Amino acid sequence: MAYERMLFADAVCFLGAAVAVNGFKPLLQYGEGGTPFAPSYDDIERQLHIEAYLRRCIRLGTLPVRRWPLYGIEPAPLAPVDGGVTTLEDPGLMVSIADFREWIKRSQVQAPESWADALSDSIQWDDQPIPGTQIVTGEPKVGRPRKLGDNAQAEANKIALELYNSNGKMPTQKAISTKLGTKYGAAWSTAKDRFRVKLCKEYIKTLKQ
């Protein structure tokens, strides 16, 4: 019996974007022989834009979503995003891998159809379907980062130093915020309030003396 694979919409957006910047290749667990996912600064920007695009497609109904217990396609448009790029208002929405594959072809995005397979291969699927259905769900092999704390100055300092070492220029608040936010699955506008860029620059100057 063929089961239909579905994943929560939030995971599809986050993981789908990560798979895209990974060259449309699966994100594998440590020890599975895959290359560790270590995006560059440019990759991080691409990932945030792709994730935002996927969320817009879901909200407008271009990328279909489904819901327990009937799992029919939800009518569009959906409720607006709550909390920026990182959160969909309705946590119960799901996307099927089959719908995602069809959306790739229909939307004419600059991506191979294998994007859907790479996304599916990045999931640890359950062995048993949801009771009364032929629907199976799973969890990402590479989960979301932990929650961003109120004070992330120490981590922001390290990120600022990495950026400085990469090009010899003092990093901007947005550059630090973008990389810090991606690490925690938060928008850059959220991350910017968790540190002071002035302290980051002082940290760099102290180490370079």
Side-chain angles (χ1 to χ4, degrees):
M1 180 182 296
Y3 294 135
E4 187 164 7
R5 294 180 170 184
M6 291 192 184
L7 192 64
F8 283 105
D10 264 323
V12 166
C13 295
F14 170 75
L15 197 63
V19 167
V21 301
N22 195 46
F24 299 102
K25 298 177 182 177
L27 304 180
L28 304 179
Q29 290 178 337
Y30 178 76
E32 288 188 330
T35 302
F37 180 54
S40 66
Y41 176 70
D42 288 339
D43 287 338
I44 289 171
E45 285 197 310
R46 288 177 57 225
Q47 183 176 343
L48 291 174
H49 280 284
I50 294 169
E51 183 174 351
Y53 173 67
L54 291 173
R55 292 179 186 281
R56 289 196 302 273
C57 289
I58 285 176
R59 294 200 310 275
L60 296 175
T62 307
L63 175 54
V65 288
R66 301 167 182 259
R67 188 197 307 272
W68 178 89
L70 296 178
Y71 294 99
I73 293 176
E74 285 283 293
L78 302 177
V81 160
D82 177 24
V85 70
T86 61
T87 306
L88 282 170
E89 186 172 278
D90 189 338
L93 298 175
M94 306 191 79
V95 176
S96 78
I97 296 298
D99 287 341
F100 188 78
R101 181 177 287 104
E102 287 301 315
W103 169 80
I104 293 171
K105 294 184 289 186
R106 187 175 62 251
S107 64
Q108 298 183 5
V109 291
Q110 300 300 297
E113 289 183 38
S114 59
W115 188 8
D117 297 319
L119 175 59
S120 181
D121 290 342
S122 301
I123 304 299
Q124 183 65 53
W125 297 100
D126 294 337
D127 294 331
Q128 299 297 324
I130 295 173
T133 74
Q134 293 182 345
I135 304 299
V136 294
T137 59
E139 295 293 332
K141 293 179 179 179
V142 180
R144 272 191 177 277
R146 65 190 188 278
K147 185 178 180 181
L148 176 63
D150 291 335
N151 188 339
Q153 187 65 52
E155 289 187 84
N157 288 344
K158 293 178 181 178
I159 290 172
L161 181 62
E162 291 174 4
L163 293 172
Y164 176 83
N165 288 336
S166 68
N167 58 21
K169 298 179 180 179
M170 281 293 180
T172 63
Q173 182 187 42
K174 186 169 184 181
I176 300 170
S177 301
T178 298
K179 194 163 185 177
L180 178 63
T182 299
K183 182 177 180 180
Y184 286 93
W188 80 269
S189 56
T190 298
K192 72 179 178 63
D193 296 327
R194 311 303 168 89
F195 70 94
R196 294 176 60 191
V197 69
K198 179 181 178 181
L199 296 180
C200 292
K201 293 180 179 179
E202 289 177 356
Y203 175 77
I204 294 172
K205 290 177 181 178
T206 299
L207 293 180
K208 295 302 177 181
Q209 287 178 351

